[in-house]
Amino acid sequence: METIARLLNDSGLAGADRAQVDAARAASGDWIARGATRIYRRSLHAREGILSFIAAIGREKCLYQAAEKSFTSVFQGTRIAVGGISLHKAPFTPENAGHLHEAFPFTAPISLRGRKTTIGCGDRLGLATPGHIRAVAPYDASPVLAQQSMRELILTGRDYSGIVSDTSFLVFQEGFESGYGADGDHLKTIKDIDVALAAGMPMITLDLTEVMNPLPGSWSSAKVDEEFARLDAATRKHVTETYAGRTFDLAGCSVTVEAAEAKRCALMYGKALDFSRDVDRHLKEKRGNRYDLEISIDETTTPTLPAHHLFIANELLRRDVAVSSLAPRFIGEFQKGIDYIGDVGEFERQFTVHCAIARALGGYKVSIHSGSDKFAVYPAIGTHTGMRVHLKTAGTSWLEAVRVIARVNPVLFRTMLSAAYDAFPAASKLYHITANIGAIPAAETVQDANLESYLDASDSRQLLHITYGGLLNDPRIRGGFFTTLADNEELHYDMVAKHIGKHIRLLGVPLLGA
Ligand code: ZN
């Protein structure tokens, strides 16, 4: 802490007034540094004679407060007086994140209901936020910086309050004041939703996989008729009158719902739609209008037919559910970490219909799950959504962290690659990919300088993408992985920013002020 005090004195920040601190924050360079001690420039904030900022001594990063007189701090931490400065050091804990939200409201996640283009940036490590901010900030889009599914929480050993906490401190480090979202991703129960809400996450992605019934999707018309006849009279009347054999004219296209398909939809989605209404009411009760509900049906076994999307959208509207975004399952394959597999022309043809439904029935954003690296279809997605879109990515940022390891720590990367093969059988039960693991070149044949090629080729990319749980929990890897990233923080931020930036650019999101 003495080195921090010295740095404050040397740089003239000790005793600086608010205008001087604002000038220091706006000056060029990411840090004010001396040896292994660095103050993150964009985190500098002066309030009532107290200077708050993020600083790192070596690999230990904390929130600091400093003043020339003694002061009380709400942050839980330690205090010393040194070099005429009273210095308070607070660790990045969920409790301190709560205090940070009160002192600096821009560090707390908010509802992005009113924002047209939103970019989901899952960060499995709690380190990538500055890279994500640097990617999104130049564009007319808002980032969802904290975002994890239960599956990811379990595999990374993290929890929602820790995720929000990590993100909040890094938002402060970066001085990003434009607002960001936090997404409890792929939640299936009110119980799990409550955990995300308690952690302050305003966005809930409701996964309907387990409350919908996929079976009628493959039933014969006779079987559908038989089961439909068991539904209550009011439901049958409503479904028949509203949908059976009707054509819906949407601006620019039309969707016809055949009579059998209407009945099929009622059987497949009835319960799930009622559950969506319950969840929406629950969210409204807990957060007023300050929430974003995403409805996700992307993890189903078959692509979402336009007639089904229309049925779901219209029924959500009828139940008065405040849908911010909806994720259908699109045709073709959206596999983890690699480009779109399928007929781009056919994707585009169907995608325009999905967009027309979203526009006509609620005006929600079309949400693209497993959006990482789907560069071939981004231009079509940007064009047909008119940028009213939510793009969700996660694993691709993890792969950029692995790329840092490949570049600067070849020994560790080789250990990771061999551990990934061991972790693959378990991981491939959780993630559907078609990588040909046998086609990946043996590590002995690849020179250190070419290790990044594993992050460029699809097969090895998917291997490293889905095995993150096994890799992060491997005691031979975990420690070295995090210290290497800490020691190469700027390289990590740069790689993440470049890679996510490429997504946003290809989508065609306009630059701010353009
Ligand atoms: Zn999904």
Side-chain angles (χ1 to χ4, degrees), residues 138-366:
Y139 292 93
D140 189 5
S142 298
V144 175
L145 296 170
Q147 166 208 298
Q148 282 206 358
S149 63
M150 294 310 275
R151 177 169 65 189
E152 288 173 307
L153 289 184
I154 292 163
L155 290 170
T156 57
R158 302 175 76 207
D159 60 31
Y160 278 137
S161 58
I163 284 163
V164 171
S165 167
D166 290 340
T167 305
S168 303
F169 284 105
L170 292 174
V171 164
F172 189 67
Q173 173 184 310
E174 204 60 15
F176 180 67
E177 303 198 15
S178 308
Y180 72 96
D183 177 7
D185 195 11
H186 276 288
L187 301 182
K188 296 174 179 170
T189 64
I190 299 260
K191 187 169 156 257
D192 288 347
I193 288 169
D194 279 343
V195 177
L197 291 176
M201 302 181 87
M203 176 169 174
I204 297 298
T205 297
L206 177 63
D207 182 329
L208 296 177
T209 318
E210 278 166 26
V211 279
M212 58 180 263
N213 180 7
L215 299 178
S218 52
W219 286 350
S220 66
S221 313
K223 171 85 170 156
V224 168
D225 281 344
E226 187 190 323
E227 294 295 327
F228 185 73
R230 293 183 212 275
L231 298 179
D232 65 83
T235 303
R236 280 183 282 130
K237 182 170 187 287
H238 164 69
V239 169
T240 310
E241 286 179 5
T242 315
Y243 301 101
R246 279 197 51 193
T247 295
F248 293 78
D249 275 317
L250 313 165
C253 67
S254 65
V255 175
T256 300
V257 186
E258 304 297 345
E261 220 48 42
K263 294 175 184 174
R264 210 186 290 280
C265 283
L267 294 167
M268 289 176 77
Y269 305 115
K271 279 208 183 76
L273 290 161
D274 288 343
F275 183 58
S276 304
R277 179 199 51 210
D278 295 346
V279 166
D280 185 56
R281 282 186 188 159
H282 187 71
L283 293 175
K284 212 165 275 172
E285 206 176 285
K286 296 253 174 170
R287 294 191 57 97
N289 284 324
R290 296 169 299 104
Y291 67 92
D292 309 311
L293 174 60
E294 172 157 314
I295 300 290
S296 123
I297 48 169
D298 68 301
E299 296 214 345
T300 47
T301 46
T302 51
T304 311
L305 297 169
H308 289 219
H309 183 179
L310 181 138
F311 179 90
I312 291 166
N314 201 47
E315 288 300 302
L316 288 168
L317 203 57
R318 193 169 76 90
R319 285 168 177 76
D320 203 22
V321 177
V323 180
S324 287
S325 48
L326 188 146
R329 172 156 176 193
F330 302 109
I331 57 147
E333 297 235 17
F334 279 67
Q335 289 191 22
K336 300 291 175 185
I338 58 169
D339 211 326
Y340 177 73
I341 302 173
D343 181 336
V344 174
E346 181 57 18
F347 169 84
E348 184 164 5
R349 203 186 61 74
Q350 293 199 16
F351 189 73
T352 55
V353 182
H354 287 299
C355 292
I357 294 167
R359 259 195 308 275
L361 300 172
Y364 49 83
K365 285 174 258 196
V366 176

Side-chain angles (χ1 to χ4, degrees), residues 1 62-65 75-80 87-91:
M1 278 168 91
C62 285
L63 173 74
Y64 289 85
Q65 291 180 297
F75 293 97
Q76 169 263 323
T78 49
R79 176 75 58 102
I80 62 163
L87 203 53
H88 189 79
K89 170 183 164 183

